[in-house]
């Protein structure tokens, strides 16, 4: 699309007087190409909250949410947001009028004591000196990476890293080398060959891979970072709140807390709110506040969202028993699907993301539709979100879905797998 646009712009310039092709016609043409590949997407709203919702008039059990602890509907989280919307963020300070939008960037008129409080709570949870809040996880990644690496520097990136990491790497202008998924030996070989020719080096990886549900080899990667004078950045969007006794994430789970230099996370998944952050040393955070463009040139997160996030962080730290429930649900569903004969992406058992492999886009969407007809919603994931031939249902589970509902869902998986031929392939 970008290339096509460039070509179109070039043609236009050289054609001089010639009228540019209509925008709608160009959009139609691009959409036709997407449709021809079987990759056309439509938004189909899901209404209701919690494990059960309604889609196109049908009641469905949602096995596709990242709200792993059910915090998006937790009464204390909702109350925190509502109070701030009605009475303002600085109730204690006596300011007293309700507030939604923050009115500016953190560096101009937008910064509130509550933003700072949330950053401090995140830093304490992650075990770092400081943290910086961003409007979303996506914004955190596309802001932080170019702030830390640029032309003359080297970035090593896992081939299955999240799109926001990939975009951040591209924006940085650094040399990018992609290593095979989870393969620290491949990363080491690339470092041996390339490290000497670059000034700084950043190793970038998802902590929990968002589509596969497996973990990055953080112990090996942190050792590489040490040996090669590189910095390790981990995107723990799906580990935060989910892994480790204290829920601080993949580093805690793998016993490498303190060895990850740049800890990115999101407030929009297990924390049930919205926003992103980077936790790390004080100077790292100071640099991000001065150099990350998505921090500098974007409005500070809205007051009710900040209040909800803070309530969620406090709750999530203490939700050890809910986390255990979540891990047990994840194991139960994984073992159940395996027992039925489905081919799964080998993932970490505690991670509530299960990739049920379906192959090409056709059977992927057929399986998702057959399942939905039977009352279970799990999104079908097609290329380009996953590599060609690796289409899947991304089945995710939360702590708040009951074991009975999961057993009921497994029967629906079996029926849908049979009718679509996904089972027994
Ligand atoms: C969802 C996700 C993000 C983006 O976070 P948002 O807060 O949704 O913008 C970044 N990285 C990974 C691995 C994710 O899964």
């Amino acid at each position: 699309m970008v290339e096509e646009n460039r070509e179109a712009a070039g043609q236009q310039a050289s054609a001089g007087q010639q009228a540019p092709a209509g925008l709608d016609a160009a959009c139609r043409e691009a959409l036709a190409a997407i449709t021809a590949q079987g990759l056309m997407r439509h938004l189909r709203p899901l209404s209701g909250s919690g494990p059960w919702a309604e889609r196109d008039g049908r009641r469905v059990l949602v096995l596709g949410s990242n709200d792993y602890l059910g915090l998006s509907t937790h009464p204390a989280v909702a109350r925190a947001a509502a109070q701030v919307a009605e009475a303002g963020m600085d109730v204690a300070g006596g300011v007293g009028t309700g507030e939604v939008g923050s009115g500016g960037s953190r560096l101009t008129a937008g910064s509130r004591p509550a933003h700072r409080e949330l950053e401090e709570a995140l830093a304490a949870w992650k075990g770092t000196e400081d943290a910086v809040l961003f409007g979303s996880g996506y914004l955190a990644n596309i802001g932080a990476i170019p702030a830390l690496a640029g032309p003359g520097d080297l970035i090593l990136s896992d081939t299955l890293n999240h799109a926001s990491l990939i975009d951040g790497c591209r924006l940085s202008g650094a040399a990018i080398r992609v290593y095979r998924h989870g393969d620290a030996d491949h990363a080491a070989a690339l470092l041996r060959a390339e490290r000497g020719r670059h000034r700084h080096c950043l190793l970038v990886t998802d902590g929990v891979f968002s589509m596969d549900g497996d973990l990055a080899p953080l112990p090996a990667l942190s050792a590489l970072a040490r040996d090669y004078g590189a910095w390790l950045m981990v995107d723990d969007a799906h580990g935060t709140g989910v892994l480790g006794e204290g829920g601080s994430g993949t580093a805690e789970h793998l016993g490498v807390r303190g060895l990850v230099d740049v800890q990115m996370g999101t407030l929009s998944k297990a924390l049930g709110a919205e926003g992103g952050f980077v936790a790390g040393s004080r100077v790292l955070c100071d640099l991000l506040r001065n150099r990350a463009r998505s921090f500098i040139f974007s409005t500070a997160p809205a007051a009710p969202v900040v209040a909800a996030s803070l309530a969620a962080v406090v709750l999530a730290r203490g939700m050890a028993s809910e986390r255990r429930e979540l891990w047990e649900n994840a194991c139960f569903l994984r073992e159940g699907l395996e027992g039925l004969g489905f081919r799964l992406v080998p993932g970490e058992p505690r991670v509530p993301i299960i990739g049920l492999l379906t192959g090409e886009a056709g059977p992927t969407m057929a399986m998702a539709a057959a399942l939905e007809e039977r009352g279970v919603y799990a999104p079908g994931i097609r290329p380009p979100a996953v590599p060609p031939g690796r289409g899947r249902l991304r089945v995710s589970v939360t702590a708040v879905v009951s074991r009975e509902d999961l057993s009921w869902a497994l029967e629906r998986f079996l029926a849908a797998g049979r009718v679509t031929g996904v089972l027994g392939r």
Side-chain angles (χ1 to χ4, degrees):
M1 189 66 197
V2 172
E3 291 307 316
E4 283 168 17
N5 278 343
R6 263 192 219 123
E7 276 169 32
Q11 279 168 8
Q12 224 173 285
S14 58
Q17 308 284 22
Q18 201 178 316
L23 173 61
D24 286 358
C27 292
R28 258 191 297 280
E29 195 180 317
L31 286 171
I34 292 170
T35 305
Q37 291 173 277
L39 298 177
M40 183 67 177
R41 291 148 203 260
H42 298 281
L43 293 173
R44 291 171 58 216
L46 207 55
S47 54
S49 51
W52 287 91
E54 211 176 276
R55 188 149 135 123
D56 295 340
R58 186 185 284 115
R59 208 168 113 80
V60 288
L61 179 68
V62 179
L63 295 180
S65 170
N66 301 320
D67 181 20
Y68 301 119
L69 296 170
L71 282 170
S72 78
T73 55
H74 193 289
V77 174
R79 208 176 310 122
Q83 261 169 10
V84 162
E86 291 194 350
M89 241 199 230
D90 307 319
V91 186
V95 177
T97 49
E99 180 177 346
V100 180
S102 59
S105 161
R106 289 289 296 289
L107 292 169
T108 58
S111 204
R112 300 282 179 281
H115 288 119
R116 192 61 207 140
E117 213 183 319
L118 177 54
E119 289 175 339
E120 283 167 1
L122 288 165
W125 193 21
K126 291 280 176 177
T128 58
E129 287 177 354
D130 202 357
V132 186
L133 198 55
F134 288 83
S136 72
Y138 185 92
L139 290 170
N141 280 336
I142 65 162
I145 296 171
L148 301 177
D153 299 330
L154 174 67
I155 297 179
L156 263 72
S157 172
D158 188 291
T159 187
L160 293 189
N161 273 351
H162 190 263
S164 56
L165 288 175
I166 295 170
D167 292 355
C169 292
R170 288 179 181 161
L171 275 174
S172 75
I176 303 165
R177 298 291 177 271
V178 177
Y179 60 89
R180 286 188 293 269
H181 176 54
D183 190 342
D185 291 336
H186 189 209
L190 292 170
L191 280 167
R192 263 194 304 280
E194 307 261 351
R195 177 67 186 98
R197 284 190 268 136
H198 298 88
R199 189 176 44 141
H200 299 312
C201 175
L202 190 63
L203 275 169
V204 180
T205 182
D206 282 23
V208 173
F209 285 86
S210 54
M211 291 295 155
D212 288 49
D214 57 350
L215 305 183
L218 295 187
L221 293 176
S222 66
L224 280 183
R226 184 197 55 215
D227 294 348
Y228 286 89
W231 308 320
L232 178 58
M233 173 171 179
V234 175
D235 172 341
D236 217 13
H238 295 276
T240 303
V242 169
L243 289 178
E245 274 305 305
S248 77
T250 309
E252 181 188 349
H253 175 73
L254 293 176
V256 292
R257 244 168 96 91
L259 298 180
V260 177
D261 304 293
V262 186
Q263 304 197 51
M264 176 272 171
T266 176
L267 301 163
S268 59
K269 287 171 180 154
L271 294 164
E274 188 180 31
F277 65 90
V278 173
S281 70
R282 185 150 293 128
V283 281
L284 166 69
C285 293
D286 282 342
L287 180 70
L288 294 183
R289 290 187 190 99
N290 281 275
R291 208 190 250 173
R293 293 171 65 81
S294 57
F295 177 85
I296 300 169
F297 298 106
S298 190
T299 298
V305 168
V306 174
S309 301
L310 184 57
V313 168
V314 172
L315 282 165
R317 285 191 74 164
M319 289 178 122
S321 65
E322 287 84 351
R323 253 186 299 282
R324 202 146 291 128
E325 201 65 40
L326 175 63
W327 300 338
E328 281 170 14
N329 275 351
C331 291
F332 178 82
L333 192 58
R334 176 175 287 279
E335 283 166 15
L337 290 169
E338 235 155 26
L340 294 177
F342 285 106
R343 212 155 60 83
L344 306 183
V345 179
E348 162 70 27
R350 285 186 179 183
V351 167
I353 300 168
I354 302 165
L356 188 161
L357 290 166
T358 42
E360 301 304 327
T364 300
M365 300 330 280
M367 177 70 189
L371 200 55
E372 195 172 325
E373 274 165 32
R374 290 162 177 78
V376 177
Y377 172 68
I381 309 289
R382 301 167 276 189
V386 288
R390 298 281 290 175
R392 69 199 58 184
L393 297 193
R394 181 186 179 277
V395 185
S396 63
V397 70
T398 69
V400 295
V401 61
S402 73
R403 205 53 67 77
E404 292 69 39
D405 282 348
L406 289 180
S407 297
W408 177 87
L410 282 170
E411 289 170 25
R412 270 71 208 160
F413 273 101
L414 177 62
R418 283 191 175 142
V419 73
T420 55
V422 165
L423 258 188
R425 208 182 290 243

